[in-house]
Structure formats: structure tokens, C-alpha cells
Amino acid sequence: MFIIDLFVKTGLETLYFTGVIILAGLLLGVLETQTNRNFQKSLGRNAIMVTGVIGTPIHELSHAITALIFGHKIIDIKLFQRPDRDGVMGYVNHAYNTKNIYHQVGNFFIGIAPIFGGLLVIMVLMGLLLPQVLESFLTVVSQGMAVETLSLASFNGIFTAYLDLLKLVFAGENFQNISFYLFLFLAICISAHISLSPADIKGALKGLIFIFLILLILNAIGLSQSILAVDVLKYNVLMSSLLMITVIFSLITFAISLIVRIFTR
């Protein structure tokens, strides 16, 4: 029973710390696939190059920078190219020491890096082009951090805050501001290429296995209290709040692609 309890406990802890990120990655993947399919069917195969020329370099640079942070060596990098037979528009090939735990754990963060790289760039663009929207977004994140227990009221509060954020983004006066259109275009380009490719997911899974093994060892030797010292609720609310902005703009991009497809039939 001890072994079973140990594995269950470790599995739950791994899920607590990575589940929200994995779920967001899967959702973004579905949205990106459908978005690109709509653009290709309505505007042609080369349509995704319009968004890809901006979104793909950000995606690949996120991989590359995170790989360097975790001590990996960049072997080859392509920030942008015409889609090949598999639809690949860019790539980063990196090498690492398979016996180095830090390098192995890094695979998880390298794999998911485009989600957070895209998020960071969108936030920077908000600050430069729509500073009032960034201020509102940070307020939403702060409200999420204040949540003490999961309840319907807390979920409603966060949901309402994001609705208010959307209203602020698409406020009437913004449509008279050239900065709004520039921000929206750039955010769409980034969101259209923010999800994880099969190669990204494969690499992230390698790192996830090592994260699980590290937690397993810590639990086995009785150091689980150091893991539980992290406020798991606040951590997951924070991650959810941050990742929600990427999901929102991916949904907006999907909606636009769907509208374009309908009107070009």
C-alpha cells in the first residue's frame, strides 16, 4: 500500500503543478488547428504565412531562449520558413546531457515555452499600445491571487473580471485608435502560432517524467512538506489567470478565421 500511495500522491502533486499548463496547451492546440484550417480553406494554403511571419519566430525564440537557460546547446534553428509537407514553419534543434537532471527537467519547460513566450510578448504589446488594458489584466490577476478557497462565487468573480477585460479591449473608442488595430493584428499573429507542436509535446513529456521522478524521490525520503509549502491553490489560480489571456486571444483568432471562412464561401 505504501508504494501505491506514494505513486498516487506523487501523481497528484505532478498534476497540481503542471495540469493547468498541460490543459491550456491542449486547448490552444485545438484552437490553432481549427484556426489554420479555416484560414487555409478560405484564403488558401499560404494564408497562414501572414500570421506565421510574426508568430513563428516568437514561438521558436521561446524554445531557444529556454533551452539556453537550461543549459542545452542550440544545434540548428530556423525562425521562419514556408510550411513543409508536415506544416512545419520553424524549428529549434538542441542537444543536452541525458545524464544531467537539470537538462532533463528543462525539456518540459522548453516544450511549453511558446505559451509563456507568446503571453509575455502580448503583455508587452498591451503595455505599449493599450496600457489601460494591461492595467486591467494585471488587476484581474491580482483578484485571482486573492482567492482563498474554490467556490462558485470566486469562479464567477474571475469570469466577470475577464468579461470586463474583453469589454475594455473592444471598447468603442478603441476602434478609432490605430494602436488598437496594430495590437489586435499582432496578438492574432502570435495567438495563431502559440500552441505546442507534436514535437514540443514529445519533448515536454520527457521533462515531465523527470519532474515526476524528482517528486517521487522527495516523497519517498519524507521531504514532501517542502513541496506542500507552496500554496497550490494560489499557484493554480495565478497560472490560470495568466494563461487565460492566451486562450482569449486564441478564441478571438479562431472566431475571426471562422467569420472569414463563412464570408468567402
Side-chain angles (χ1 to χ4, degrees):
M1 284 298 294
F2 171 75
I3 298 296
I4 295 176
D5 290 342
L6 181 63
F7 273 83
V8 170
K9 177 180 172 61
T10 305
L12 288 173
E13 288 172 347
T14 305
L15 186 62
Y16 290 154
F17 289 109
T18 63
V20 172
I21 300 171
I22 294 171
L23 182 61
L26 292 173
L27 179 57
L28 291 171
V30 172
L31 289 171
E32 181 175 321
T33 298
Q34 294 302 318
T35 296
N36 289 339
R37 184 175 299 167
N38 287 336
F39 278 137
Q40 288 180 22
K41 288 189 175 182
S42 58
L43 302 176
R45 178 176 172 79
N46 292 328
I48 60 171
M49 292 188 66
V50 176
T51 56
V53 72
I54 294 173
T56 302
I58 293 173
H59 183 112
E60 303 306 335
L61 282 172
S62 300
H63 284 312
I65 292 171
T66 311
L68 292 174
I69 290 173
F70 282 91
H72 290 218
K73 181 180 180 181
I74 305 297
I75 303 300
D76 189 21
I77 182 171
K78 191 77 171 182
L79 294 181
F80 181 70
Q81 64 181 17
R82 293 183 67 88
D84 61 17
R85 289 183 302 175
D86 298 319
V88 175
M89 300 178 71
Y91 57 83
V92 176
N93 294 327
H94 51 98
Y96 60 94
N97 182 356
T98 56
K99 297 180 180 179
N100 187 311
I101 295 177
Y102 181 67
H103 290 185
Q104 289 282 15
V105 170
N107 281 318
F108 175 75
F109 297 97
I110 294 167
I112 65 171
I115 297 176
F116 292 95
L119 170 64
L120 178 61
V121 174
I122 288 174
M123 289 177 65
V124 170
L125 290 172
M126 273 187 190
L128 294 174
L129 300 173
L130 297 173
Q132 73 278 12
V133 176
L134 177 61
E135 183 179 348
S136 179
F137 171 60
L138 294 177
T139 300
V140 173
V141 174
S142 298
Q143 288 176 354
M145 287 297 294
V147 173
E148 297 293 339
T149 58
L150 289 179
S151 65
L152 184 60
S154 61
F155 278 118
N156 284 338
I158 295 173
F159 180 73
T160 301
Y162 271 105
L163 282 180
D164 292 339
L165 177 64
L166 274 176
K167 291 176 183 177
L168 184 61
V169 172
F170 292 98
E173 58 268 22
N174 283 341
F175 288 93
Q176 302 173 19
N177 186 353
I178 189 65
S179 297
F180 167 72
Y181 293 100
L182 179 59
F183 169 77
L184 191 60
F185 172 72
L186 294 174
I188 287 173
C189 290
I190 296 167
S191 300
H193 300 272
I194 203 172
S195 73
L196 310 182
S197 68
D200 297 340
I201 295 171
K202 183 179 179 181
L205 286 176
K206 291 180 182 178
L208 185 62
I209 292 171
F210 274 83
I211 291 174
F212 175 84
L213 291 175
I214 291 171
L215 292 174
L216 183 68
I217 293 170
L218 289 174
N219 282 323
I221 60 179
L223 292 179
S224 59
Q225 291 301 318
S226 61
I227 302 169
L228 297 176
V230 177
D231 191 325
V232 175
L233 174 61
K234 288 188 179 298
Y235 165 80
N236 277 287
V237 170
L238 173 62
M239 295 304 298
S240 299
S241 299
L242 290 172
L243 293 171
M244 186 60 71
I245 199 70
T246 64
V247 173
I248 287 173
F249 280 104
S250 291
L251 283 169
I252 292 172
T253 306
F254 168 71
I256 292 173
S257 72
L258 189 61
I259 293 171
V260 170
R261 183 176 176 180
I262 292 172
F263 281 94
T264 54
R265 282 181 176 177

